[in-house]
Amino acid sequence: MSVRIHPAAFVDPNARLGVDVTIGPGAVIGPDVVIGDRTRVDSHALVTGWTTLGSDNHVHHGAVLGSAPQDLKYVGEPSYLVIGDHSVFREYCTANLATEPGFTTRIGSHVLMMAYSHVAHNCAIGDRVILANAVQLAGYVVVDDWAIVGGGTVVHQFTRIGRHAMIGGGSRISQDVAPYVKAAGSPPRNAGINSIGLARRGFSPDAVKAAERAYRLFFRDGHTVSQAVAAIRREFPGQPEAEHFARFCETSVRGVTR
């Protein structure tokens, strides 16, 4: 049950550290932090607030996890940042607590946050998400499993990015990006289904075809949202990828990027 804490680190005595945790020189760990087994916190990183890290994470030099939200409504009461397992936080990335007391910012497992990326208050990041360098997520953004967001992209608050979506670097996202879709630009434009990514992740040819057909019905055939959703369900009754696509689009509040 060895815990390796560098003499130049500061770990509050009330912090809870798991088995084989490593804390580097100059790192600061706050009193309400929980760090899971085999997690590594490198030099001059800050883990603070009411933050829980799962096991086997790696927090690189200068990263800041659990700092107060950049929201003037925050009054300092306990809110949370909860992170899963096997995630990597590269240099100087940041993730904030939620704004409202008792609420949570969530980051899943197997996530890669590259250097200078930012997850704001109340965001919900799924599993196996990649946020490339300098991606900036405003508050209440949802990024579903397996999505990839290219470097320098900015995402408006309350926006959703669907699972397996792929967003090109330097984009400005102000409306939801549908599942399985490739999008890029400022303003963004869609560029079809992420068919190569889906195939690499084990989707069957029929599933990819269903996603492609749902994309065409929604974006290319001139339907309204309700007409497109109804058409998708008529053509693919019970098909999981088509139904997920339809459900995402019909529940969009900010509208879907077209």
Side-chain angles (χ1 to χ4, degrees), residues 17 138 255:
L17 308 185

Side-chain angles (χ1 to χ4, degrees), residues 24-251:
V28 177
I29 310 298
D32 299 298
V33 170
V34 178
I35 298 181
D37 298 347
R38 298 173 300 281
T39 289
R40 175 178 170 182
V41 180
D42 285 351
S43 59
H44 300 284
L46 169 63
V47 185
T48 187
W50 294 269
T51 296
T52 298
L53 277 157
S55 63
D56 299 286
N57 293 293
H58 188 179
V59 182
H60 283 254
H61 173 86
V64 178
L65 303 179
S67 52
Q70 299 174 100
D71 186 338
L72 295 176
K73 297 188 298 297
Y74 181 67
V75 294
E77 295 187 33
S79 61
Y80 305 97
L81 171 64
V82 176
I83 296 167
D85 307 323
H86 298 280
S87 290
V88 176
F89 302 90
R90 293 304 304 257
E91 294 80 4
Y92 304 105
C93 70
T94 53
N96 294 156
L97 302 173
T99 292
E100 303 84 357
F103 282 66
T104 302
T105 302
R106 297 189 182 276
I107 299 175
S109 298
H110 299 277
V111 171
L112 171 58
M113 286 183 60
M114 294 188 192
Y116 297 98
S117 58
H118 174 65
V119 171
H121 58 89
N122 300 83
C123 286
I125 311 301
D127 296 335
R128 299 186 183 277
V129 167
I130 297 175
L131 304 180
N133 295 292
V135 167
Q136 307 293 297
L137 304 185
Y140 303 94
V141 167
V142 176
V143 183
D144 287 337
D145 297 348
W146 290 96
I148 299 173
V149 184
T153 294
V154 293
V155 182
H156 194 282
Q157 61 185 353
F158 295 103
T159 298
R160 296 188 299 164
I161 296 173
R163 65 189 185 194
H164 298 278
M166 187 172 186
I167 297 174
S171 298
R172 174 175 57 86
I173 306 299
S174 58
Q175 290 184 297
D176 297 349
V177 176
Y180 320 119
V181 168
K182 296 181 294 184
S186 178
R189 293 189 175 203
N190 293 332
I193 290 294
N194 183 18
S195 55
I196 294 175
L198 295 179
R200 286 174 176 171
R201 293 164 194 160
F203 282 70
S204 69
D206 287 343
V208 175
K209 288 179 181 178
E212 289 174 340
R213 179 60 178 153
Y215 175 92
R216 180 164 292 279
L217 287 168
F218 192 86
F219 293 114
R220 295 288 182 260
D221 284 5
H223 296 305
T224 65
V225 170
S226 58
Q227 289 170 341
V229 166
I232 291 168
R233 287 179 170 144
R234 280 196 306 270
E235 190 162 333
F236 298 99
Q239 205 285 333
E241 284 72 33
E243 174 57 31
H244 180 74
F245 188 100
R247 181 64 180 160
F248 182 99
C249 293
E250 73 178 351
T251 58

